[in-house]
Amino acid sequence: MGTPRVGTHYPRSVGEFQAWFRSDADCLDYLEWLRWPSGFVCPGCRQSAGWRLGDRRFMCSGCGDRTSVTAGTIFDRTRTPLTVWFNVCWLFATGKDGISALSLRRTLEIGSYQTAWAMLHRLRSVLVRPGRERLVGTVEVDETYIGGLEEGLPGGRARGKKVLTGIAVEIREPKGYGRCRMMPLGDASAASLHPFVTGHVEPGATVITDAWQGYHGLEKLGYVHDRRSQRAARARGEDPGELLPAVHRVASLVKRWLLGTHRGSVDEAHLPSYLNEFVFRFNRRRSRSRGMVFYRVLELAVAHDPVRYTDLIVRRRPRKKPPKPPPARGHPPSRDRPPADRPWRRLQLASSG
Ligand SMILES: [Zn+2]
């Protein structure tokens, strides 16, 4: 659909947001346009022919299945009104540092902390786009310990474990940082560090690390390896802590964010989700419009499979899912779709059934 435009494809302000999404029907129109930009596609048989039923569901003319725009997405069978979901997305996306479950519950008067907590976790779980590009150019890589305070769901806080976390940051010339990536590591061995590098950095890149033996062998994996020895730095009279300034900067930012927005109440099992959220925010820190970030979150949310509450509470490791091919596009536009300035707004007259 080309580059999304502010004021047309996503709201430019909170006023516009409120005016656009007054009812669940408004939200359904928007989700429908995001999920099926060229018209309804049956999630079962992938055919793009069907019609709208009176209850806002769709009937596939290929296989006869009935489906809704939220079925098979993270909004599947939600008991929360879509207008509330959209408000959560808006606060999540437009707040520079995001929002905690506690403030979300207070701000939107959501029934329980668990509901607010689960909504935020469902949003976090969609942020890693399948097939996203790896880091390129010159990339600093290091590992650091993150975490320490733990909060059980029923309340109460105990000492938690610190989690060894890999950090990779693109270096921009002459100065500044590009994108970053973070992931918990089993340990600091080559068996953990090499997959972290290959999973997050494009071969051919220059990888800057310290002299730790776990990074030995990166050349054989297709990288230009720039090893910086702390001992050599000390011998030169330099501060060895400044050998990898980008990863140290990002590490201090993520620790500050966990202590600030989330008051340190992040348990080990959910740390990967918070790291994904931090990376998503960091990599969009220069986005001119926060509405654009809102659009991106919803776009990912309608492309993501449902996330069950039990998956959120018992998950110990991030789910590893094979990337899926992008949804089929390019079939003839449906007549349901108005060519209006706001393309997602369905013409009420066009509905059948
Ligand atoms: Zn079908």
Side-chain angles (χ1 to χ4, degrees):
M1 79 184 87
T3 310
R5 287 193 310 275
V6 66
T8 303
H9 299 102
Y10 56 86
R12 75 185 78 230
S13 63
V14 65
E16 208 161 69
F17 167 81
Q18 284 164 350
W20 285 18
F21 305 114
R22 287 183 193 282
S23 66
D24 275 17
D26 294 337
C27 302
L28 279 169
D29 281 345
Y30 194 71
L31 293 181
E32 192 182 312
W33 168 73
L34 278 176
R35 189 177 185 189
W36 297 315
S38 319
F40 169 71
V41 179
C42 174
C45 70
R46 314 293 315 160
Q47 283 209 44
S48 56
W51 60 89
R52 198 186 292 278
L53 299 167
D55 59 2
R56 295 219 46 146
R57 287 188 304 161
F58 292 83
M59 164 83 95
C60 171
S61 56
C63 66
D65 268 2
R66 290 157 188 243
T67 189
S68 70
V69 68
T70 52
T73 76
I74 67 156
F75 307 113
D76 202 358
R77 281 180 282 172
T78 180
R79 278 180 294 177
T80 304
L82 283 175
T83 47
V84 176
W85 263 113
F86 270 50
N87 272 286
V88 173
C89 286
W90 181 261
L91 292 170
F92 181 85
T94 59
K96 185 177 148 289
D97 292 317
I99 187 163
S100 69
L102 213 53
S103 346
L104 183 66
R105 185 193 166 190
R106 285 199 198 109
T107 309
L108 295 183
E109 294 174 353
I110 290 170
S112 74
Y113 175 78
Q114 278 79 2
T115 304
W117 178 93
M119 290 176 93
L120 288 174
H121 265 298
R122 286 200 168 89
L123 291 183
R124 280 180 197 114
S125 65
V126 309
L127 299 179
V128 177
R129 184 169 51 84
R132 67 178 175 182
E133 298 80 16
R134 290 180 284 185
L135 306 184
V136 295
T138 302
V139 180
E140 277 185 22
V141 176
D142 201 2
E143 38 351 294
T144 187
Y145 283 94
I146 292 183
L149 284 174
E150 205 162 293
E151 186 193 52
L153 252 185
R157 197 183 272 189
R159 278 277 154 215
K161 268 191 271 176
K162 287 188 180 292
V163 177
L164 188 67
T165 303
I167 302 182
V169 186
E170 288 175 334
I171 308 297
R172 291 273 164 80
E173 295 298 334
K175 67 193 278 276
Y177 309 137
R179 296 169 299 160
C180 80
R181 293 277 191 270
M182 274 182 215
M183 205 180 80
L185 301 169
D187 53 39
S189 70
S192 295
L193 291 170
H194 286 186
F196 175 69
V197 174
T198 56
H200 298 280
V201 186
E202 195 68 28
T206 298
V207 175
I208 307 174
T209 70
D210 59 24
W212 171 243
Q213 58 183 24
Y215 294 108
H216 286 201
L218 287 181
E219 290 93 347
K220 289 203 190 84
L221 297 170
Y223 300 97
V224 179
H225 191 189
D226 179 354
R227 290 173 68 206
R228 298 192 175 164
S229 155
Q230 299 206 335
R231 195 184 301 171
R234 244 180 243 111
R236 289 194 302 269
E238 293 167 15
D239 178 0
E242 286 304 305
L243 282 178
L244 300 163
V247 285
H248 292 155
R249 172 79 182 138
V250 169
S252 78
L253 285 175
V254 70
K255 289 170 188 175
R256 201 185 302 165
W257 177 72
L258 288 169
L259 288 172
T261 300
H262 301 291
R263 308 274 187 87
S265 63
V266 170
D267 61 275
E268 188 191 351
H270 294 100
L271 183 64
S273 309
Y274 288 96
L275 297 180
N276 288 341
E277 181 185 342
F278 177 85
V279 167
F280 182 87
R281 292 187 184 289
F282 183 85
N283 293 349
R284 280 157 193 78
R285 66 199 181 281
R286 293 196 201 92
S287 180
R288 272 171 297 135
S289 164
R290 301 313 294 176
M292 172 75 153
V293 182
F294 164 78
Y295 166 93
R296 289 291 177 215
V297 171
L298 278 180
E299 186 182 45
L300 289 162
V302 289
H304 196 282
D305 289 344
V307 179
R308 292 176 308 168
Y309 187 72
T310 48
D311 289 338
L312 294 175
I313 52 175
V314 300
R315 206 162 85 211
R316 292 285 154 205
R317 290 270 168 253
R319 290 197 304 178
K320 293 191 178 65
K321 299 182 72 181
K324 276 194 276 185
R329 292 198 172 169
H331 35 75
S334 139
R335 277 189 299 163
D336 278 357
R337 254 140 236 295
D341 61 330
R342 232 180 287 153
W344 51 274
R345 190 165 283 289
R346 183 169 57 93
L347 288 177
Q348 295 302 319
L349 288 172
S351 98
S352 59

